[in-house]
Amino acid sequence: MTLSISLVRLPLLSPFTTSFGTETIKNALILRLQEGGVTAYGESVTSIGPFYGYEDNTTALHMIRDYLAGMVKDIPSPEQFLTRSAQLRGNNMAKAAVEMMLWDYHAKKKGVSLEKALGASKGYADVGISLGMDQRAVTLRKVREAIDRGYRRVKLKIEKGKEYDIVRTAREEFPDVQLSADANACYTLKDLPLLKRLDRFGLVYLEQPLAHDDLLDHATLAKELSTPICLDESIATLDAARQAFEIGAAKVVNIKPGRVGGLVNSLKIARLAEDNEGHVWIGGMLETGFGRAFNVALAANRLVDYPGDTSPNDKYFARDVVKNPFSMEKGRIRPNKGPGIGVEPDERFLESVTVKSWKLW
Ligand code: OSB
Ligand code: MG
């Protein structure tokens, strides 16, 4: 029985720019558990630095090596692992990588797909695209290509002073597309006039306009806008989701299992949204084929009602580390049939992009 973690470095097909920076390479931490005939995987959504959240690959590696690996020697259920790891504050991205690996392991042991293990499924995930910031003409071309490929929602990244022009032109050229904008926390309430100007474009929602750790100001903003607010960064826990719905800080939540501590919490947040007449969709963090397979399985769940940022692998990478990438048809992706995440690693390519590996036990 072995548990190892590897850092893999995979170039992105094109740079991905948000209000917090530009990514050109995906630096992913991949967990691999081998027991009996079963090999299970996990992927941390952390990156090289704490720009999206406070965790990064170094802190996740520390948490997993020094705390979490020792808690899973008996391969507990995801729920048992959450109970054990609750004594450690925060660090949900590190916890999520381990939690998801346990889901994969137990689904494989039972011989069921992760999609099935998660409960009632639609059988497919509705897919939207997240477009990084770029020159206007480039973005508009990418919006057209996305619509032609069948994407069911197009999300534009925005930042202060670079929101009105791109949203207006995209809306004018594509009047019928489901359009959203993601600010990645770059505004404050003082920018209300800028945000109000977006109200007329019929966005399905405005994603994370204010601070990464704020709920209260979002509730204030929500009262001033007709566009619904979707929270991403601010929903770091199940309690944050409950509080957000309670005070009206969000109508929509972008669930990233990696951000909320895994799939158990993701399903609970989705149920909370349903109870509060809210909406949820599954976000992405430019995952490799391992992390992507978890997101797609979750996005197919009945509780998920909006299209997610779960593009097929070839949006991100010329070559992914898995042999069976997803393909999209009419803006939908079918989850793998399993067992577990149902992903076949491309071992030789995976090895060639692995920077370093650590044996945990
Ligand atoms: O805010 O949703 C975000 C990528 C990295 C960090 C944050 C975000 C994103 C994306 C990309 O929007 C979604 C994807 O296609 O994986
Ligand atoms: Mg976001």
Side-chain angles (χ1 to χ4, degrees):
M1 201 160 78
T2 59
L3 177 65
S4 64
I5 188 164
S6 302
L7 176 65
V8 310
R9 202 178 131 88
L10 210 52
L12 291 169
L13 268 178
S14 56
F16 188 76
T17 301
T18 67
S19 66
F20 63 80
T22 298
E23 288 181 79
T24 55
I25 294 166
K26 175 70 194 177
N27 289 278
L29 286 174
I30 309 290
L31 278 164
R32 187 193 284 239
L33 167 66
Q34 277 174 307
E35 189 278 326
V38 175
T39 306
Y41 300 92
E43 177 171 340
S44 172
V45 297
T46 47
S47 63
I48 45 169
F51 308 114
Y52 164 84
Y54 65 85
E55 296 178 79
D56 66 15
N57 283 341
T58 307
T59 69
L61 188 60
H62 155 61
M63 286 304 295
I64 293 169
R65 285 168 80 184
D66 297 339
Y67 290 100
L68 303 174
M71 293 181 175
V72 295
K73 284 191 173 151
D74 58 344
I75 323 187
S77 70
E79 289 83 359
Q80 284 172 320
F81 169 68
L82 284 185
T83 306
R84 285 181 201 178
S85 60
Q87 60 174 277
L88 307 167
R89 297 269 162 93
N91 292 282
N92 272 344
M93 293 181 180
K95 289 175 183 172
V98 176
E99 196 253 18
M100 292 196 273
M101 177 190 78
L102 294 170
W103 274 96
D104 188 33
Y105 173 85
H106 289 289
K108 282 172 173 161
K109 264 299 219 220
K110 284 191 202 118
V112 300
S113 64
L114 178 63
E115 174 197 18
K116 269 237 163 73
L118 291 172
S121 166
K122 297 169 287 195
Y124 59 82
D126 283 325
V127 184
I129 194 168
S130 172
L131 296 176
M133 288 188 291
D134 219 316
Q135 291 181 338
R136 183 172 72 176
V138 174
T139 301
L140 292 175
R141 173 174 55 75
K142 287 188 174 180
V143 175
R144 177 173 304 282
E145 285 168 5
I147 294 168
D148 290 346
R149 283 194 68 184
Y151 278 102
R152 287 168 184 260
R153 182 268 288 140
V154 174
K155 154 170 145 185
L156 303 171
K157 290 286 185 180
I158 57 170
E159 75 177 328
K160 217 189 274 193
K162 291 188 186 167
E163 65 290 278
Y164 183 75
D165 185 58
I166 190 62
V167 173
R168 179 181 62 80
T169 50
R171 178 46 87 215
E172 276 171 13
E173 273 199 44
F174 311 103
D176 301 324
V177 70
Q178 275 208 37
L179 199 62
S180 69
D182 186 0
N184 286 109
C186 73
Y187 298 94
T188 70
L189 276 182
K190 288 194 183 125
D191 302 311
L192 182 60
L194 285 178
L195 297 174
K196 274 207 154 162
R197 294 216 302 164
L198 299 179
D199 242 355
R200 75 192 70 155
F201 301 121
L203 299 178
V204 274
Y205 47 79
L206 174 63
E207 185 173 340
Q208 194 69 39
L210 310 178
H212 71 97
D213 54 356
D214 169 80
L215 290 177
L216 200 55
D217 284 356
H218 279 104
T220 304
L221 179 65
K223 292 195 193 85
E224 299 290 327
L225 299 179
S226 55
T227 306
I229 304 282
C230 169
L231 289 180
D232 174 352
E233 285 90 328
S234 288
I235 308 300
T237 62
L238 182 60
D239 268 327
R242 178 182 57 75
Q243 290 166 8
F245 285 120
E246 203 167 301
I247 67 171
K251 257 280 167 214
V252 184
V253 174
N254 168 351
I255 299 178
K256 292 176 181 167
R259 191 194 63 233
V260 301
L263 295 165
V264 171
N265 286 338
S266 295
L267 290 169
K268 286 184 179 169
I269 291 172
R271 265 181 226 115
L272 204 61
E274 188 178 48
D275 293 345
N276 285 275
E277 284 156 26
H279 306 277
V280 296
W281 51 280
I282 307 309
M285 295 286 281
L286 316 175
E287 285 91 344
T288 77
F290 295 110
R292 190 161 306 284
F294 289 94
N295 290 347
V296 169
L298 178 62
N301 193 275
R302 283 259 168 78
L303 294 163
V304 176
D305 61 343
Y306 277 8
D309 284 344
T310 50
S311 283
N313 314 53
D314 64 4
K315 174 195 183 250
Y316 309 88
F317 311 110
R319 184 172 176 186
D320 203 340
V321 291
V322 301
K323 282 188 192 154
N324 54 332
F326 291 106
S327 55
M328 184 174 74
E329 249 175 77
K330 297 191 175 130
R332 286 182 172 161
I333 291 181
R334 291 187 179 281
N336 291 329
K337 288 290 155 233
I341 57 172
V343 150
E344 287 281 335
D346 182 340
E347 295 288 4
R348 286 179 61 188
F349 183 62
L350 181 58
E351 204 185 307
S352 73
V353 294
T354 298
V355 179
K356 204 170 168 182
S357 291
W358 296 264
K359 197 168 180 294
L360 303 176
W361 39 256

